[in-house]
Amino acid sequence: MPKSFSASPPPVRRRRGFTLLELLVVVVIIGILAGYVGPRYFAQIGKSERQAALAQIDAFEKALDQYRLDVGRYPTTEQGLAALNVAPAGLAKWRGPYLKKDVPADPWGNPYLYRQPGQNGDFDLISLGKDGQPGGSGEAEDIGNR
């Protein structure tokens, strides 16, 4: 008599998932990494905003120097930086615009302050920093052409 094989179903494999403990460990590790990396990342953003303000001030200085070469003097405080894009009334020697675009706000959204004559030279060009108030330290420190 031939041996008969019983046709039994193949063993069922259970799909193994993650346990709650494993998920909690992963969440804690991600939290620790975010706590370590996050502050360093945001510190770099502050440095880049400061560098952007310095670059804009440098570009304004060059445009103001070109304005002075054409007109013979820097714009007055009343004329401000707008004189770099729009000719002030009564200036025949104006050869602008001296900037490709309108004068932007500083990286924190505040207007640049322009004073002529300046306290530290022919003119003062200042960004009041992140807080938008005179003085301060760190990211709130004033940035200028001094």
Side-chain angles (χ1 to χ4, degrees):
M1 203 165 174
K3 245 183 180 181
S4 76
F5 293 98
S6 66
S8 62
V12 178
R13 289 191 175 182
R14 288 190 169 184
R15 297 181 81 187
R16 179 165 155 74
F18 294 106
T19 66
L20 182 59
L21 182 60
E22 291 169 330
L23 290 175
L24 286 175
V25 168
V26 170
V27 168
V28 167
I29 291 172
I30 291 172
I32 290 171
L33 288 173
Y36 179 73
V37 174
R40 295 180 190 275
Y41 171 75
F42 288 112
Q44 293 301 318
I45 290 175
K47 286 180 185 177
S48 66
E49 288 172 333
R50 181 174 173 76
Q51 290 300 323
L54 288 169
Q56 285 179 331
I57 288 172
D58 183 56
F60 295 150
E61 284 181 309
K62 290 175 182 167
L64 286 163
D65 287 340
Q66 185 63 46
Y67 178 99
R68 184 183 58 81
L69 288 173
D70 289 348
V71 175
R73 62 173 176 76
Y74 289 107
T76 64
T77 300
E78 292 76 26
Q79 291 169 334
L81 295 175
L84 297 174
N85 284 336
V86 178
L91 286 182
K93 295 181 181 179
W94 190 85
R95 303 276 187 266
Y98 298 96
L99 296 173
K100 291 181 181 180
K101 299 179 182 178
D102 288 339
V103 177
D106 69 10
W108 300 279
N110 302 314
Y112 284 96
L113 301 179
Y114 173 76
R115 235 182 347 242
Q116 195 281 326
Q119 295 175 345
N120 302 304
D122 292 327
F123 61 88
D124 289 338
L125 188 53
I126 301 167
S127 166
L128 296 177
K130 186 174 185 175
D131 65 352
Q133 302 296 319
S137 61
E139 289 184 20
E141 182 180 13
D142 296 349
I143 303 166
N145 64 321
R146 301 179 186 120

